[in-house]
Amino acid sequence: MLTYPIALHEGPGPLLAFVPEPDPDALAETMVALANADGGSIVLGLTDDGEPTGAFDRADLDATVAAAGARCRPALTPERRTWADRALGTLPVLRVPRGTRVHALLDGRVVARAGSSNRTLNGDAIRRLIAARAQGDFEVEPVPGAGPDALDPGMVEAFVAAWSAAEGDPWEGSYADLLIELGALTPDRRPTVAGILLFGRDPLRWLPWSGARFVRYVGVGEDAAQRTAEERIGGPLVQVIDRLAAVVREQLGAGADAYPARAVREALINALLHRDYRLRGAPVEVQLFADRLEVHSPSGLPGFLMVEDLLSARYSRNPRLAWALHQWGYVPDPGRGIRRMCEEMAGQGRRPPEFEAAPYRLTVRLHRSPVATARCANGDALSQRQRQALAYVQAQGSITFREFRMLAQGVQPELLQRDLDALVAAGLLRRIGQRVGAYYILP
């Protein structure tokens, strides 16, 4: 069930590997690497450039796969399939499931898939992977007290429709059978954590620490302490994602292009999808400042991952949630989301995203472009207050006199109004409306 489509045109990646020759050692290493990460597919007889080698015949295939599986500890027996390509013909494929234990090679090495290659893990990474595997999959644990009526049939129908469209074949069994196979229901039809998060009528009732909180602050840098907007968002995961993205757009207003929409959405999805739902008491928190957007997930990095691995490696703390959101269209390119986020920021000339990891907290920080130094009509450089006002308008789309007072607390109102008037006179801001109820936007 939890397998992803093969995309040969994208080449090798976190979920896809090519093995050109019938070499049992090379094949065993790739099988172990995928099993220790999120599983994936191995296409046999292709170079990394996608060129067929024709090196595998039936006898080679059987002998090589058997020998490779025996070189893994514990042994691995991948699922055998074929892949038909118009240009390349029919190619043998091995499906390697995500392991429930940590696998090693005969020489003792523990490897994991990182981008388009296999990486040997050091002692610390191995210990963290062992700890992650030992914890099991919290997402498939039943939710105490929740019965089948805790799930929303409408959400289930929407998912089945999306899944059928993605597979190109309508689901012919019962919805319950599909949910059991996904891990959203236990075999005795009790909703699991994944089931409540994906399809629950009221996930906050059963998992009060799920969902997200949005907070908007006035100010930039370390001076941003005053909250101007706050919203607690609950519901099934896809609704939380959509609502969070909408709130960010609404709060940015005319400055909605301050951040690439796809980069923002990727940061939100990653935080909600990969957080540790064992950690109670805190939801994902999205904080919007005048100069940056921060997304805080109440969990550290999963499995063997380090911050430097985020651009290439993949390890899902919640693989069933990840698979479901892929089928739903929210994760179109599994394993490539962080890279896409960075590309979106770079494509608009932004600073690259910052990632800050702690044992029980992971922060993604998106910066908007700094305000260029400007001068007023009389040639004087802008004051710190005026630069704050411009930064606020660039981030939020507009500023009112009341919001400016919150930015520069303790400053006489007459001085603040003089600052705004000077910015208007210099052509750096445009006033809309009369003094009472007026607001200021970029010209």
Side-chain angles (χ1 to χ4, degrees):
M1 165 65 79
L2 302 182
T3 58
Y4 292 89
I6 295 174
L8 290 182
H9 65 281
E10 294 182 355
L15 298 169
L16 180 63
F18 299 163
V19 173
E21 303 292 336
D23 179 349
D25 291 321
L27 182 55
E29 179 182 298
T30 300
M31 289 165 55
V32 167
L34 289 172
N36 283 336
D38 268 359
S41 300
I42 304 173
V43 180
L44 304 177
L46 280 186
T47 68
D48 283 350
D49 295 328
E51 295 296 326
T53 64
F56 285 85
D57 59 28
R58 179 73 184 185
D60 285 337
L61 179 61
D62 293 341
T64 302
V65 173
R71 285 165 164 77
C72 307
R73 293 289 185 270
L76 284 168
T77 305
E79 178 186 357
R80 298 267 293 274
R81 294 191 180 184
T82 58
W83 174 259
D85 183 85
R86 182 175 299 176
L88 301 175
T90 300
L91 298 168
V93 174
L94 303 179
R95 294 278 197 180
V96 180
R98 173 187 167 106
T100 58
R101 299 171 58 185
V102 175
H103 290 264
L105 295 164
L106 287 182
D107 60 11
R109 286 182 301 133
V110 176
V111 294
R113 192 69 176 169
S116 59
S117 61
N118 307 323
R119 193 185 82 199
T120 300
L121 302 184
N122 60 27
D124 181 60
I126 294 171
R127 284 189 292 273
R128 287 187 284 112
L129 181 58
I130 291 173
R133 292 294 202 230
Q135 288 175 342
D137 292 331
F138 181 68
E139 60 179 350
V140 295
E141 293 188 7
V143 175
D149 59 346
L151 303 186
D152 183 345
M155 293 300 299
V156 175
E157 289 177 5
F159 171 75
V160 173
W163 182 87
S164 298
E167 293 291 318
D169 188 21
W171 176 259
E172 296 181 353
S174 70
Y175 288 179
D177 289 341
L178 178 60
L179 297 184
I180 290 171
E181 195 170 350
L182 169 60
L185 287 177
T186 63
D188 58 354
R189 303 197 176 190
R190 290 183 293 164
T192 65
V193 171
I196 293 293
L197 289 171
L198 290 168
F199 313 116
R201 294 181 188 271
D202 183 10
L204 289 180
R205 173 187 174 188
W206 304 103
L207 305 169
W209 56 93
S210 64
R213 177 185 295 112
F214 172 86
V215 184
R216 175 181 169 185
Y217 292 91
V218 173
V220 298
E222 300 299 324
D223 298 328
Q226 180 66 47
R227 299 187 179 197
T228 62
E230 185 170 350
E231 182 174 340
R232 182 74 163 90
I233 299 170
L237 270 179
V238 293
Q239 293 182 5
V240 175
I241 292 167
D242 290 343
R243 178 56 190 157
L244 263 181
V247 169
V248 172
R249 288 195 305 271
E250 292 165 4
Q251 290 293 326
L252 286 171
D257 60 352
Y259 305 95
R262 290 183 64 182
V264 172
R265 193 171 180 83
E266 191 65 45
L268 301 178
I269 290 173
N270 271 281
L272 290 160
L273 177 57
H274 299 301
R275 70 152 292 179
D276 190 345
Y277 284 96
R278 290 182 177 86
L279 299 179
R280 307 186 179 201
V284 167
E285 184 157 307
V286 180
Q287 300 175 348
L288 179 62
F289 302 86
D291 58 343
R292 67 194 186 279
L293 177 73
E294 294 185 354
V295 183
H296 301 277
S297 178
S299 56
L301 287 166
F304 60 89
L305 297 185
M306 302 291 287
V307 168
E308 54 268 26
D309 297 322
L310 292 177
L311 281 177
S312 59
R314 172 187 169 91
Y315 185 92
S316 298
R317 181 177 276 114
N318 306 301
R320 289 161 185 82
L321 297 183
W323 185 86
L325 289 190
H326 168 68
Q327 298 298 327
W328 227 318
Y330 283 74
V331 184
D333 303 312
R336 304 176 190 267
I338 297 294
R339 181 175 295 279
R340 185 169 61 248
M341 182 199 307
C342 295
E343 290 171 351
E344 289 289 327
M345 294 293 287
Q348 293 195 13
R350 313 293 187 187
R351 289 168 56 182
E354 292 179 0
F355 302 93
E356 185 179 309
Y360 300 106
R361 188 177 181 87
L362 177 63
T363 297
V364 178
R365 189 174 293 112
L366 304 181
H367 291 274
R368 57 177 314 285
S369 297
V371 179
T373 302
R375 292 182 177 275
C376 290
N378 61 6
D380 292 337
L382 296 183
S383 68
Q384 174 64 24
R385 294 195 306 271
Q386 289 170 322
R387 288 196 295 272
Q388 279 187 305
L390 281 178
Y392 188 91
V393 174
Q394 282 193 312
Q396 312 297 347
S398 67
I399 191 171
T400 65
F401 183 74
R402 178 177 176 274
E403 289 171 331
F404 193 24
R405 289 190 68 179
M406 294 176 68
L407 275 175
Q409 295 183 20
V411 179
Q412 293 182 359
E414 294 81 4
L415 293 177
L416 297 179
Q417 188 61 61
R418 191 180 303 165
D419 286 337
L420 293 174
D421 290 343
L423 291 171
V424 172
L428 300 174
L429 288 180
R430 181 158 62 97
R431 183 168 53 233
I432 304 297
Q434 302 302 314
R435 282 290 178 89
V436 178
Y439 60 96
Y440 299 81
I441 63 174
L442 295 176

